Amino acid sequence: MSDSLLTDWRKNALKLESEVNGVVVGQKKAVRLITTSIFARGHVLLEGDVGVGKTTLLRAFTRGIGGGYQRIEGTIDLMPNDLIYHTYLGEDGKPHVNPGPLLQSGQDLSIFFFNEINRARPQVHSLLLRVMAERTLTAFNKEHYFPHMLVFADRNQVEKEETFDIPSAARDRFMMEIPIAVPKEPEIMESLIFDTRFHHVDKLIETVANSVLQFNQLNAFAAQLQDQISASPTLRQYALDLWRATKNPTDFGVKVSGVDMNRLVLAGASPRGMAMLLRAARVNAWLNDREAVLPDDIHAVFHETVAHRVVFSPVYEMRRTEIAREMLSGIVNAIAAP
């Protein structure tokens, strides 16, 4: 791949970020991480309260990269087939079948948003995870392909009734879990409340430049990008040490306040998870105009790619967010960067 091609794509990637940051304010870190996941071709879990702009964020990205955007709401009575088709009675009194959200955009499906995924039953998760892994689906005696699809899902973190925990094997399918928090800057908070342009989402999305990137070219470019950005043997050893520490933090002297470290971790990050960490780190290096991965690139994506993969003892699961943050920060501090 030529340097000019890398530069041109980087310029467009940064333009995409600028466009999205113009309509979703106060989320620069989340925007960078989503940009990273798009170029690393990884699915994403979103973490955040209701009404913080997750849907607006994803619609803005879809407008910027092109392709189809579809979403579905998780409910207790949602069935796997609801992702594929829906039936209704027509004016003629006869039943009709229309494509569901997975099929409506065909092969041009670019971003699929599953809102409150933990409200849906495990059978629904199973279908979605299979589509995420294989990007194919058999329906109506036909094989359907979703070569460009990225899945974004968020979980209801507040209400526990009629919800189903996502098992660790399912969480591992997602490259990142990205927090979308309410901005704390007073001027941004004031704008979100009083600036009326943020109150009309459809008009707001229309201000994003259309198709800054071409969604159907991302797979090919992403593959070349991974080949172009190198990782030195020293950097690889550093990544391996980080991986070992997620499995046995006590071996590296990592401690978490109020936690029995010998009972904390049931399973560390998976090989797939660490491979995804390095994919994301290479993209971060490229976005920062570097040709090789540095420890800073790993640090930039370490928590978001690893935290949701570590399996804790059930007694500590209720404190997962704070424990994972402290443990992973302890790992980064304990292992000397090259």
Side-chain angles (χ1 to χ4, degrees):
M1 186 193 300
S2 67
D3 289 342
S4 61
L5 185 60
L6 282 172
T7 301
D8 289 344
W9 273 85
R10 184 186 307 108
K11 186 187 304 180
N12 287 335
L14 297 179
K15 183 178 190 303
L16 173 66
E17 285 190 337
S18 176
E19 291 287 325
V20 175
N21 281 320
V23 299
V24 185
V25 293
Q27 301 292 352
K28 286 189 175 181
K29 183 177 181 181
V31 168
R32 168 51 59 96
L33 289 168
I34 292 175
T35 302
T36 302
S37 70
I38 287 173
F39 280 96
R41 309 311 292 152
H43 308 293
V44 173
L45 281 168
L46 298 175
E47 179 188 9
D49 295 331
V50 174
V52 294
K54 295 186 290 290
T55 301
T56 305
L57 191 58
L58 295 182
R59 288 183 60 191
F61 267 106
T62 306
R63 183 171 172 86
I65 67 176
Y69 168 84
Q70 299 292 335
R71 65 174 285 165
I72 195 167
E73 302 289 331
T75 61
I76 188 69
D77 58 351
L78 191 72
M79 299 300 290
N81 285 341
D82 294 326
L83 276 66
I84 303 170
Y85 64 84
H86 68 267
T87 59
Y88 65 96
L89 284 176
E91 294 180 357
D92 56 5
K94 297 180 180 179
H96 295 261
V97 178
N98 275 354
L102 270 178
L103 301 184
Q104 284 180 16
S105 297
Q107 292 192 21
D108 289 340
L109 179 57
S110 178
I111 287 181
F112 183 80
F113 180 32
F114 201 126
N115 193 32
E116 296 197 348
I117 188 174
N118 58 336
R119 284 202 180 279
R121 294 177 179 274
Q123 300 96 311
V124 180
H125 300 165
S126 178
L127 172 66
L128 181 68
L129 292 168
R130 189 167 76 246
V131 174
M132 287 166 56
E134 301 172 2
R135 288 189 165 87
T136 64
L137 173 70
T138 302
F140 307 113
N141 297 317
K142 180 182 177 182
E143 194 80 6
H144 300 267
Y145 296 92
F146 314 101
H148 313 294
M149 178 192 70
L150 290 183
V151 171
F152 290 77
D154 85 326
R155 293 180 282 175
N156 186 311
Q157 303 277 40
V158 178
E159 297 163 328
K160 297 301 180 184
E161 293 183 3
E162 296 186 342
T163 62
F164 301 86
D165 286 337
I166 303 177
S168 56
R171 292 199 304 264
D172 195 59
R173 293 284 182 183
F174 290 90
M175 172 174 279
M176 294 191 195
E177 181 169 38
I178 300 174
I180 312 293
V182 177
K184 295 181 179 179
E185 298 86 342
E187 63 276 11
I188 294 178
M189 295 176 71
E190 182 178 344
S191 294
L192 291 173
I193 297 173
F194 295 106
D195 190 337
T196 56
R197 78 186 186 96
F198 295 116
H199 302 169
H200 304 284
V201 175
D202 290 341
K203 289 183 179 179
L204 193 62
I205 299 300
E206 288 174 1
T207 65
V208 176
N210 201 10
S211 298
V212 177
L213 299 172
Q214 299 298 319
F215 74 99
N216 54 5
Q217 297 176 12
L218 282 166
N219 286 340
F221 175 76
Q224 294 179 60
L225 170 61
Q226 292 297 316
D227 290 337
Q228 288 294 114
I229 306 300
S230 63
S232 68
T234 306
L235 191 284
R236 294 182 184 195
Q237 184 59 52
Y238 177 61
L240 286 171
D241 287 340
L242 292 174
W243 185 18
R244 293 187 184 99
T246 69
K247 297 173 176 292
N248 299 293
T250 54
D251 291 353
F252 295 83
V254 176
K255 297 180 180 179
V256 177
S257 55
V259 169
D260 181 353
M261 296 302 295
N262 293 314
R263 298 176 54 205
L264 175 62
V265 177
L266 295 182
S270 66
R272 173 169 50 205
M274 295 307 293
M276 288 183 175
L277 167 66
L278 266 296
R279 286 182 66 84
R282 288 190 187 97
V283 174
N284 191 78
W286 167 70
L287 288 171
N288 286 282
D289 199 12
R290 291 193 284 269
E291 296 180 354
V293 178
L294 300 180
D296 285 349
D297 297 311
I298 290 180
H299 299 162
V301 296
F302 183 61
H303 187 276
E304 287 77 15
T305 53
V306 173
H308 63 288
R309 293 187 157 86
V310 180
V311 182
F312 293 145
S313 299
V315 68
Y316 295 116
E317 274 295 328
M318 290 296 290
R319 297 172 53 204
R320 159 172 283 280
T321 300
E322 62 177 281
I323 290 175
R325 184 182 299 114
E326 188 173 344
M327 188 187 93
L328 295 182
S329 295
I331 288 173
V332 170
N333 292 331
I335 299 175

